Amino acid sequence: MIKKRIVAFFIDFLIAIILSSILIIILALYFDVTNFNITIKYYVYVNKFLLFKDLVLKNKSIGKKIMHLEIRYKNDKIPSIIVILIRDWILTCTWIIDWLLIILRKATIGDIICNTKVVEQFN
């Protein structure tokens, strides 16, 4: 399960990087931007894509869909959009710490605060 979760995050991160790169290329072609501006915009775009990743397919990201995972409350109900956004916002702020927590506690800071968990996809 931990391996699936890590692979799902890498898939989502790769998608965020690709989409952000496309946006940055378009901006660079049509606007006069400095390297510093591009770096800041790139960071912002990657974080925005990561923030909304779990809303793409109701309660799962594309990476979670591929790995057959989904977000649930600890009582197995589907979390609301607001809870998923809060969870993902916390993740974008604490993702380095969250890697260690996933391995040690099988939950991110967002999961702990929002009372959610990532589980095998329900049928």
Side-chain angles (χ1 to χ4, degrees):
M1 172 73 160
I2 294 172
K3 288 180 185 177
K4 282 184 160 188
R5 200 162 174 190
I6 291 171
V7 170
F9 180 79
F10 275 121
I11 292 168
D12 295 333
F13 194 68
L14 184 61
I15 290 168
I17 288 173
I18 290 169
L19 292 175
S20 297
S21 298
I22 291 168
L23 282 174
I24 291 298
I25 290 168
I26 291 168
L27 281 175
L29 289 173
Y30 293 102
F31 299 101
D32 183 30
V33 290
T34 65
N35 286 340
F36 180 73
N37 285 343
I38 287 176
T39 304
I40 297 299
K41 287 180 190 323
Y42 193 75
Y43 176 78
V44 168
Y45 290 147
V46 168
N47 276 324
K48 282 184 181 180
F49 284 119
L50 290 176
L51 176 63
F52 294 103
K53 70 182 173 42
D54 289 317
L55 298 178
V56 173
L57 300 167
K58 194 173 179 181
N59 65 329
K60 59 187 123 267
S61 62
I62 294 171
K64 286 183 185 74
K65 176 74 173 171
I66 291 169
M67 299 309 296
H68 304 288
L69 301 171
E70 64 185 0
I71 302 167
R72 293 283 180 149
Y73 279 121
K74 290 191 178 173
N75 65 5
D76 289 326
K77 293 184 179 182
I78 297 173
S80 69
I81 291 172
I82 300 297
V83 170
I84 291 173
L85 279 173
I86 292 168
R87 179 189 175 275
D88 286 347
W89 179 78
I90 294 167
L91 174 69
T92 61
C93 297
T94 62
W95 65 271
I96 294 173
I97 297 166
D98 282 342
W99 282 105
L100 184 59
L101 286 175
I102 288 173
I103 294 167
L104 297 175
R105 295 193 58 183
K106 298 181 178 131
T108 63
I109 293 171
D111 286 328
I112 294 165
I113 291 171
C114 294
N115 200 31
T116 58
K117 61 185 178 177
V118 175
V119 296
E120 296 282 337
Q121 188 172 331
F122 285 31
N123 291 329

